[in-house]
Amino acid sequence: MTLKRRNFLYLLGASLGAAGLGIYPLEDAAWAADPTKGPFTLPPLPYPYNALEPHIDAATMQFHHGKHHATYINNLNAAVQKYPNLQGKSIEDLIRNLNSLPEDIRTAVRNNGGGHINHNLFWEIMGPNGGGAPKGAIATAIQSNFGSFDILKKQFNEVGAKRFGSGWVWLVRTKGGKLQVTSTPNQDSPLIEGNYPILGNDVWEHAYYLKYQNRRADYLNAWWNVVNWDAVNKRFEQAKA
Amino acid sequence: MAFEQPPLPYAMDALEPYGMKAETFEYHYGKHHKAYVDNLNKLTADTDLANKPLEEVIQTSYKDGKAGIFNNAAQTWNHTFFWNSLKPGGGGGGTPTGDLAAKIDKDFGSFDKFKEEFSNAAATQFGSGWAWLVDDGATLKVTKTPNAENPLIHGQKPLLTLDVWEHAYYIDFRNARPAFIKNFLDNLVNWEFAAANLAA
């Protein structure tokens, strides 16, 4: 098989991936072929694909945002297609109220809606010229909840390394107002359990395989260099609202 | 006695002409599979389990809810089974023959129906996991399992598997899991291995 054929397969990825990552077979995802027709749309990445180099490479960002995230949105749109009353709802609304959704689309929304909202957060809290020590209100809160930023980082990296299979590691604000490190499998959002995600790292292999392959621990370490603390502070504010 | 990683039954680059690079096997066999075996040995060192057959360690750890041991034991077994489910040299894919072919026709309706069911299971396993052709005693079935789970803990006899963790296909196919599945069915399935498992 030639390189040419492989490139061809990549280009096909958007439509092929709809079946690969979602839970909808291709034929049900007719709408998915044109995401602009659905209520949910892919937010533009707030920085160029190569902005997080060398910690996260441009190719990874391209596939992650342009294929994986796009596929979740396509599948989410396909899932709500036959329920017009759900199409005006925000993604946060849908995820917070999974149990009130029609049973036949509950898993699809949990997986693909979760994939959508989790990736929205992920792009938002990263950025060029990121990293360093936390600042502002979140810095104080980390200090009082964990003792130090280093302790948080250590805990976060351990929990992220231990997530078996695909999933996420989070810094959340619990209903009781505490900061906590948690992990969810697959695309489950912390909102399902009533925790507000302030910061999260994607430990699906697609998030790091092109650059780090099997070395998830290296990725977890390097990732702190792209955290945008201003954006994290904004989410921390929203969490308290 | 420690658990051992069996040698890869073909060269790392044996499947290059059929869509799977040597680089994939260098990581998948050389790093991922090896890490599961190493972790299993670490976790069972100086315990009774260290001297048990791998299949028994899988069953016992699953029943006792020992997730760490189970995950590494099952992944040790699953990967060995997966390497054998792939046939190098261009002889893979195609159609099964004999008893297995007859059973597939009987239990799925046709070979094409089987392919469709298998592709669908492999494509819809959300997150990490495996797709299987199993013999559940009465009929052949297609199943899918998350993460390290396998048919052994469900009392089924595995005949064939495809690894759909992203690390199995990301180097060769990126996000295009369906292309990886199609390539497996068209070019790589080792039907002799599946037939031997059915007869065993």
Side-chain angles (χ1 to χ4, degrees):
Chain A
M1 196 166 299
T2 63
L3 248 182
K4 213 169 154 192
R5 172 152 160 77
R6 287 209 189 89
N7 287 338
F8 177 61
L9 291 173
Y10 298 169
L11 292 174
L12 277 180
S15 52
L16 291 165
L21 292 158
I23 61 160
Y24 269 72
L26 276 180
E27 59 268 28
D28 286 353
W31 194 3
D34 186 357
T36 57
K37 288 191 186 155
F40 298 99
T41 53
L42 180 66
L45 195 66
Y47 34 81
Y49 285 132
N50 65 1
L52 308 182
E53 296 263 12
H55 308 292
I56 302 182
D57 57 296
T60 294
M61 292 300 288
Q62 235 159 346
F63 280 101
H64 203 172
H65 178 263
K67 304 288 184 189
H68 292 278
H69 190 175
T71 300
Y72 292 125
I73 292 168
N74 293 344
N75 290 337
L76 175 64
N77 282 332
V80 298
Q81 187 175 21
K82 59 174 176 165
Y83 296 103
N85 61 319
L86 297 179
Q87 291 168 21
K89 298 211 185 272
S90 73
I91 184 58
E92 194 169 321
D93 233 26
L94 292 180
I95 294 294
R96 281 185 193 272
N97 299 292
L98 278 180
N99 287 334
S100 65
L101 295 180
E103 225 179 310
D104 66 325
I105 63 163
R106 208 172 289 163
T107 305
V109 173
R110 178 182 188 147
N111 290 342
N112 295 292
H116 180 29
I117 198 169
N118 292 342
H119 285 90
N120 279 351
L121 169 146
F122 192 54
W123 313 134
E124 177 192 335
I125 55 103
M126 299 192 293
N129 312 312
K135 46 192 171 183
I138 193 67
T140 316
I142 287 171
Q143 191 76 32
S144 64
N145 279 271
F146 294 93
S148 75
F149 176 48
D150 281 346
I151 295 173
L152 161 69
K153 266 208 307 205
K154 188 165 175 277
Q155 229 184 78
F156 190 95
N157 290 355
E158 275 170 12
V159 170
K162 265 207 244 159
R163 161 58 52 199
F164 190 75
S166 305
W168 290 77
V169 51
W170 306 99
L171 174 67
V172 301
R173 185 178 188 271
T174 66
K175 273 180 274 190
K178 284 206 153 144
L179 292 188
Q180 222 169 56
V181 172
T182 66
S183 172
T184 57
N186 298 322
Q187 291 297 352
D188 284 0
S189 161
L191 292 170
I192 296 174
E193 288 179 344
N195 292 325
Y196 193 88
I198 291 170
L199 176 76
N201 194 359
D202 187 346
V203 294
W204 281 59
E205 287 172 321
H206 66 235
Y208 59 87
Y209 211 78
L210 294 182
K211 186 174 172 71
Y212 298 92
Q213 294 86 30
N214 61 309
R215 299 179 302 278
R216 190 193 285 184
D218 292 353
Y219 162 71
L220 281 160
N221 264 321
W223 176 79
W224 292 100
N225 292 307
V226 298
V227 172
N228 175 346
W229 289 109
D230 290 335
V232 174
N233 267 304
K234 266 187 214 148
R235 287 199 66 89
F236 186 47
E237 271 306 305
Q238 288 158 13
K240 292 189 277 188
Chain B
M1 193 187 77
F3 296 98
E4 279 174 20
Q5 183 183 22
L8 192 67
Y10 32 79
M12 296 269 191
D13 63 358
L15 306 184
E16 286 241 346
Y18 312 99
M20 293 177 76
K21 290 197 193 88
E23 191 189 352
T24 289
F25 286 92
E26 278 153 19
Y27 284 107
H28 202 174
Y29 175 84
K31 303 286 184 185
H32 293 277
H33 192 193
K34 182 174 186 301
Y36 292 125
V37 179
D38 290 348
N39 286 335
L40 176 62
N41 281 320
K42 259 183 243 160
L43 291 168
T44 56
D46 307 319
T47 74
D48 288 351
L49 289 177
N51 297 309
K52 305 275 193 224
L54 182 58
E55 287 81 356
E56 195 181 325
V57 176
I58 292 171
Q59 300 285 7
T60 310
S61 58
Y62 185 71
K63 277 191 206 107
D64 297 347
K66 291 189 172 147
I69 294 177
F70 171 75
N71 286 339
N72 288 291
Q75 286 294 76
T76 295
W77 191 94
N78 294 347
H79 280 90
T80 302
F81 197 80
F82 177 51
W83 311 137
N84 284 300
S85 294
L86 304 173
K87 190 173 175 181
T95 51
T97 55
D99 237 22
L100 178 59
K103 272 202 143 223
I104 284 176
D105 281 343
K106 179 170 158 284
D107 294 340
F108 295 97
S110 70
F111 181 65
D112 281 347
K113 278 263 158 47
F114 154 77
K115 283 219 287 196
E116 197 184 311
E117 251 188 69
F118 189 90
S119 303
N120 196 45
T124 58
Q125 173 55 47
F126 192 75
S128 303
W130 300 80
W132 305 87
L133 171 64
V134 305
D135 179 359
D136 80 348
T139 55
L140 301 190
K141 281 192 177 125
V142 162
T143 66
K144 55 182 175 179
T145 57
N147 297 329
E149 276 188 29
N150 67 28
L152 301 178
I153 55 168
H154 301 300
Q156 300 159 329
K157 185 204 272 187
L159 306 184
L160 188 75
T161 195
L162 179 63
D163 187 345
V164 293
W165 283 58
E166 287 176 322
H167 65 234
Y169 57 89
Y170 218 76
I171 288 173
D172 298 311
F173 296 92
R174 301 294 193 265
N175 63 308
R177 193 194 288 186
F180 169 66
I181 298 166
K182 186 175 187 310
N183 183 57
F184 170 72
L185 289 170
D186 290 350
N187 300 317
L188 294 171
V189 174
N190 187 338
W191 285 114
E192 288 88 348
F193 176 66
N197 289 324
L198 178 66

